[in-house]
Amino acid sequence: MFKKILIANRGEIACRVIKTAKKMGIATVAVYSDADARAPFVRMADEAVHIGPPPAAESYLIADKIIAACKETGAEAVHPGYGFLSERASFVEELEKNNIAFIGPPPNAIAAMGDKIESKKLAMEAGVNVVPGFVGEIDDTEHAVKISNDIGYPVMMKASAGGGGKGMRLAYSEKDVREGFEATKREGLNSFGDDRVFIEKFIEDPRHIEIQILGDKHGNVLYLNERECSIQRRHQKVVEEAPSPFVTPKMRKAMGEQCVALSAAVDYHSAGTVELIVSGADKTGESFYFLEMNTRLQVEHPVTEAITGIDLVEQMIRVAAGEKLPMKQDDIGIDGWAIENRVYAEDPYRGFLPSTGRLVEYHPPLEGWTDDGQANGRRGVDGVRVDDGVYHGGEVSIYYDPMIAKLITWGKTRDEAADKQIEALDRFELEGLGHNIDFLSALMQHKRFRSGDITTGFIAEEYPEGFQGAPASKELLRNLAAIGAFAGAAHADRARRIDNQLGDRLDPPAEWQVKIGDSIQSVILSEEAISVDGKEVELSAEYTPGDGLIEATIGDEPLIVKIKKTTSGFAMNTRGARFEVRVLPQSIAQHAVHMIEKIPPDLSKYLLCPMPGLLVALHVGEGDTVEEGQPLAVVEAMKMENILRAEKNGVVKSIEAAQGDSLAVDAIILELE
């Protein structure tokens, strides 16, 4: 067994590998860029080596720096995590030349499966179902249009070397192909150094199912059940679960055996994932097709660990050291249900725009990497696990993936796992930048999600106008009104105890008016009870002004509310929505109608940069006439290109930014008249 390994990655996956290595008694080495000098994974490792400036192309993607760090520290093996160099065959070959083991598959398998065009050919030869499409190289846009017309719309354009949702465009018409083909090529080149694109038929009502593969160097290859990853946004996975509510034992066996055959065809060893697209309209489960094979550990691997009890990172390390797998196919079972939600730095209330900045508050529902120390420690504590790589006061930068943390829950049933997600998300305190916690909670509560009737179009279909928060029931609004008045009384009580404020003889008001959206409710507080519009609410809670979280019990039901004081009340977040709660004593509330409402300025004449990013293209100049929906500019953020369109007809009055400029959020790009 290895005595020391180096992790050629950063963030939560670096922490993940370090955690298992320590459990195995293996020393660890971290490599870090300037941006990650204070990151948790650097502190967790036994040693750390600085490898360059923040851009990945100048640090984490330079193989020579990783190899030099191995030699400097005496590391015998490298775990690549995912992303960066994890699927680069040339990196593995360089490690082998330097007698450094690679904790992953052989280079021939990476090369074969890493190229989407070649991997489809191999899959066909191995007897694996493949999606109809064009698997050769595409010359130019006109060639792409002809291919798409021949296949039939809709079609998916994909960068051959792509992954993680980057370099993908869905086209419903020839116009979409003409507009998106070059952008797909650019994203492939910028993110992966390869601008080749392939085109395939887009499967209607698709479900994204993937099979976890695990093999050793002795010819043993197993499948560790499936994961459902259908809930995606812009082809980026948001929710993953294991097992799938759609897959039957018969489907699981058929999928698993095909994926094992494909793996055996390239002499695969280590952990890997075969991604399949499944027609949700075909209830027989026979319409499943090969998408790609990821020759690495997946972001969503914890849900497989939770239902199988197998530590995938440990097995990767043991396989790399030459050990045989300690289990056989018949030993792989399914125990319970696990769900993973990805907490991203993005603002769902603003069209999921990327967000960067400092984590002014970061308090997950339990500390990252905490477990109960038992055999099922891969389930965290009481079925809740947090995998993270950030810290309170840290920064989410523009240079890397916007994922902040992964929240994994396990339960005996799917509903139990989802309920644990809702409660844990309510406890997740995060401030300083936009995040998707409310959105994740809303997904977990959604009736269609609970039914299991999900496809990759779920988010677009259920939130066509964007996300405005989960719907709030009358009961929830009533309970929030009670909590708001309770918190308001606590602030009033503190004020009377401070000199020169209210004076200590004046008791806090007992009668309050609470306004939440269009709902206005009357709340009366007494020592015996709280009533809202004459109906008693059995509230049990503690709150001290300044607290960020209220853990209340309403009757027998828990309700966890994130709370922050505002000028006239509180900002509250719970159950997948945020609420502006105005809390006023009844004696003052009667005058609220006379307050002048501030009207926001009209910004529709400006094209504003919706997120921090790089202006890579500007399609118009001063004096140009534009029409609603016309592309005006392209901004790149988090290695993704975002097309900015005109919201109305007009004429360009002035250009305020130039191509190549780095722009802040809401920076003016141009003005219309």
Side-chain angles (χ1 to χ4, degrees):
M1 180 51 62
F2 307 118
K3 293 181 180 178
K4 183 185 291 188
I5 65 173
L6 181 144
I7 298 93
N9 217 296
R10 62 176 299 280
E12 60 88 17
I13 185 56
C15 295
R16 167 72 188 90
V17 178
I18 292 169
K19 178 175 168 56
T20 285
K22 286 190 173 183
K23 181 185 72 174
M24 298 174 68
I26 300 171
T28 56
V29 179
V31 291
Y32 65 93
S33 70
D34 292 339
D36 287 330
R38 296 179 179 84
F41 76 93
V42 177
R43 298 196 304 269
M44 284 179 68
D46 297 298
E47 299 175 65
V49 178
H50 175 250
I51 55 170
E58 300 175 42
S59 51
Y60 296 106
L61 285 171
I62 299 180
D64 289 346
K65 290 189 175 183
I66 304 300
I67 292 170
C70 287
K71 291 180 176 179
E72 178 185 335
T73 59
E76 304 157 86
V78 169
H79 195 300
Y82 37 72
F84 295 147
L85 298 171
S86 63
E87 293 179 283
R88 190 169 295 183
S90 60
F91 174 57
V92 184
E93 290 167 350
E94 286 300 312
L95 288 174
E96 289 178 349
K97 289 178 185 177
N98 287 275
N99 296 316
I100 301 169
F102 180 68
I103 303 174
N108 63 291
I110 295 175
M113 293 292 106
D115 186 315
K116 287 186 171 65
I117 294 172
E118 293 303 316
S119 66
K120 287 192 73 171
K121 293 178 181 177
L122 277 168
M124 287 188 283
E125 292 171 4
V128 179
N129 305 339
V130 297
V131 180
F134 184 84
V135 296
E137 290 194 35
I138 300 171
D139 302 328
D140 52 27
T141 300
E142 292 304 320
H143 191 196
V145 168
K146 181 181 184 305
I147 291 167
S148 301
N149 289 338
D150 290 343
I151 294 172
Y153 296 98
V155 298
M156 181 69 81
M157 297 177 288
K158 295 183 179 180
S160 180
K166 297 181 178 68
M168 300 175 72
R169 286 286 191 287
L170 180 59
Y172 285 95
S173 65
E174 181 177 316
K175 178 186 174 185
D176 292 343
V177 176
R178 292 186 182 279
E179 187 175 284
F181 181 71
E182 288 300 326
T184 306
K185 284 176 66 95
R186 282 196 302 271
E187 284 187 4
L189 185 62
N190 292 339
S191 296
F192 310 104
D194 186 342
D195 69 351
R196 291 177 302 152
V197 172
F198 73 98
I199 298 176
E200 64 186 14
K201 179 71 175 176
F202 181 70
I203 304 299
E204 304 280 3
D205 297 326
R207 299 182 77 119
H208 185 120
I209 309 292
E210 58 188 34
I211 301 292
Q212 176 68 58
I213 292 295
L214 183 63
D216 61 25
K217 296 179 180 180
H218 304 277
N220 302 303
V221 183
L222 311 176
Y223 64 91
L224 274 58
N225 306 313
E226 80 286 349
R227 296 185 287 259
E228 171 106 36
C229 308
S230 295
I231 297 186
Q232 306 176 3
R233 194 187 63 76
R234 292 184 65 176
H235 315 297
Q236 181 79 41
K237 298 167 188 173
V238 178
V239 181
E240 300 105 347
E241 58 181 309
S244 163
F246 182 73
V247 173
T248 64
K250 181 181 177 182
M251 291 168 62
R252 182 175 298 119
K253 187 173 187 292
M255 291 174 176
E257 289 177 351
Q258 282 198 18
C259 295
V260 166
L262 176 61
S263 303
V266 291
D267 297 321
Y268 198 89
H269 63 251
S270 194
T273 295
V274 180
E275 301 199 350
L276 306 170
I277 189 166
V278 183
S279 173
D282 184 359
K283 302 303 180 184
T284 68
E286 295 176 0
S287 298
F288 64 87
Y289 306 97
F290 170 78
L291 273 179
E292 62 181 328
M293 184 174 189
N294 293 310
T295 54
R296 54 172 169 80
L297 193 65
Q298 291 278 95
V299 175
E300 57 272 22
H301 73 274
V303 293
T304 295
E305 294 183 328
I307 67 165
T308 63
I310 295 170
D311 186 327
L312 285 169
V313 173
E314 178 181 347
Q315 293 307 315
M316 290 180 75
I317 295 171
R318 293 190 181 282
V319 165
E323 294 185 14
K324 285 186 177 182
L325 292 178
M327 73 290 287
K328 297 189 180 301
Q329 190 63 58
D330 291 343
D331 299 325
I332 309 301
I334 297 177
D335 180 14
W337 212 288
I339 298 174
E340 174 180 296
N341 275 307
R342 301 188 187 189
V343 179
Y344 279 124
E346 62 183 14
D347 191 345
Y349 294 102
R350 296 188 65 197
F352 297 92
L353 294 176
S355 181
T356 59
R358 192 163 300 283
L359 293 165
V360 177
E361 293 287 342
Y362 179 73
H363 303 292
L366 76 161
E367 291 300 317
W369 313 107
T370 305
D371 62 45
D372 58 12
Q374 304 300 312
N376 64 352
R378 284 162 290 284
R379 296 173 183 166
V381 178
D382 296 328
V384 179
R385 167 176 164 179
V386 175
D387 288 11
D388 61 11
V390 300
Y391 62 99
H392 177 79
E395 188 172 356
V396 176
S397 76
I398 64 172
Y399 299 105
Y400 310 117
D401 188 90
M403 189 169 69
I404 295 170
K406 301 186 308 197
L407 178 65
I408 304 101
T409 55
W410 176 89
K412 293 180 180 178
T413 65
R414 187 170 184 263
D415 280 342
E416 183 183 340
D419 288 342
K420 286 184 178 181
Q421 281 283 341
I422 296 166
E423 182 178 349
L425 288 164
D426 278 347
R427 293 181 183 275
F428 215 124
E429 297 180 71
L430 204 164
E431 290 186 25
L433 41 67
H435 58 78
N436 65 339
I437 288 175
D438 284 350
F439 179 63
L440 297 175
S441 180
L443 291 177
M444 294 295 98
Q445 299 171 67
H446 201 289
K447 288 183 179 179
R448 184 176 161 191
F449 172 77
R450 289 299 184 120
S451 74
D453 179 24
I454 53 179
T455 68
T456 57
F458 178 93
I459 290 176
E461 292 160 7
E462 298 300 325
Y463 301 95
E465 304 301 321
F467 178 72
Q468 300 302 322
S473 66
K474 289 183 179 179
E475 181 183 12
L476 178 59
L477 293 177
R478 183 170 61 249
N479 294 338
L480 291 178
I483 290 172
F486 173 71
H491 279 269
D493 186 57
R494 185 180 70 165
R496 77 186 182 92
R497 298 173 187 275
I498 299 174
D499 286 349
N500 301 317
Q501 287 204 11
L502 297 180
D504 58 9
R505 297 181 183 177
L506 190 62
D507 289 332
E511 299 182 9
W512 297 81
Q513 185 191 85
V514 180
K515 182 176 185 296
I516 308 174
D518 296 329
S519 169
I520 298 178
Q521 302 181 78
S522 176
V523 184
I524 299 176
L525 306 178
S526 69
E527 292 184 5
E528 293 79 23
I530 298 176
S531 67
V532 180
D533 288 340
K535 184 173 182 178
E536 186 172 321
V537 175
E538 296 180 18
L539 171 66
S540 174
E542 291 185 9
Y543 174 72
T544 300
D547 288 351
L549 201 70
I550 292 181
E551 297 191 37
T553 302
I554 312 288
D556 295 326
E557 295 296 319
L559 180 63
I560 301 159
V561 181
K562 291 185 277 285
I563 184 168
K564 187 176 182 180
K565 186 75 177 76
T566 61
T567 303
S568 59
F570 304 94
M572 295 184 184
N573 286 72
T574 190
R575 292 296 191 268
R578 64 185 182 192
F579 304 90
E580 293 298 326
V581 183
R582 192 190 73 188
V583 181
L584 298 173
Q586 285 285 9
S587 58
I588 296 174
Q590 59 184 314
H591 304 296
V593 69
H594 302 296
M595 296 296 291
I596 298 173
E597 204 169 315
K598 187 175 181 181
I599 300 174
D602 179 17
L603 299 176
S604 63
K605 64 180 180 178
Y606 297 105
L607 178 67
L608 304 179
C609 186
M611 78 288 283
L614 181 70
L615 184 61
V616 296
L618 193 59
H619 300 309
V620 294
E622 290 185 10
D624 287 356
T625 299
V626 302
E627 298 181 355
E628 182 180 354
Q630 177 181 334
L632 301 180
V634 178
V635 173
E636 181 187 287
M638 303 287 187
K639 295 185 179 179
M640 296 284 283
E641 290 192 358
N642 303 272
I643 299 174
L644 307 185
R645 303 176 185 273
E647 294 184 3
K648 63 180 182 180
N649 298 341
V651 176
V652 179
K653 179 180 179 181
S654 64
I655 302 292
E656 304 296 333
Q659 186 171 320
D661 285 355
S662 291
L663 304 177
V665 64
D666 290 336
I668 297 174
I669 297 173
L670 58 82
E671 182 180 357
L672 299 174
E673 60 180 0

